[in-house]
Amino acid sequence: MTKFLYNFAGCPKVVHYISNETNDYLVTERLAGTDAASDEYLEEPGQLSEVFSLSLLKLHRVNTEYCPITNGLEKMVIRAERNYSEGREEL
């Protein structure tokens, strides 16, 4: 999904991804800018909220016509229920 969004929504380019039975590893290029924990945003939380809201708006405006992944909400719910029944829920 990140590879798809890289072309539209300012996601970082995927450099490498590997998965095994217990872990997933995703290596991306670094995006220019500051992170949300920088002094700039900690001193002005309203500014951070503005950045997040604009980013979310940009994401929701992405044309999903050629998106490689369809709505996965149902699969997420099934996985969450399975994890819960196996005692692997997040506290």
Side-chain angles (χ1 to χ4, degrees):
M1 184 59 111
T2 304
K3 286 181 181 180
F4 171 76
L5 291 173
Y6 166 73
N7 295 309
F8 303 103
C11 285
K13 182 178 181 180
V14 175
V15 176
H16 188 69
Y17 174 77
I18 189 168
S19 181
N20 61 36
E21 293 177 6
T22 57
N23 298 299
D24 296 308
Y25 301 94
L26 177 66
V27 178
T28 65
E29 290 183 347
R30 182 178 179 175
L31 291 176
T34 57
D35 64 50
S38 70
D39 290 339
E40 170 189 4
Y41 293 121
L42 293 177
E43 293 169 3
E44 294 289 334
Q47 183 181 1
L48 182 59
S49 294
E50 183 71 16
V51 170
F52 282 161
S53 65
L54 291 174
S55 298
L56 189 57
L57 179 63
K58 186 176 181 181
L59 179 64
H60 281 276
R61 289 184 173 167
V62 169
N63 181 350
T64 59
E65 182 178 357
Y66 298 105
C67 182
I69 298 173
T70 58
N71 184 352
L73 186 56
E74 185 176 334
K75 288 181 182 178
M76 289 172 60
V77 170
I78 291 168
R79 186 173 63 238
E81 288 173 342
R82 184 181 65 240
N83 285 341
Y84 181 79
S85 69
E86 293 174 2
R88 297 186 300 161
E89 73 277 3
E90 293 182 19
L91 300 177

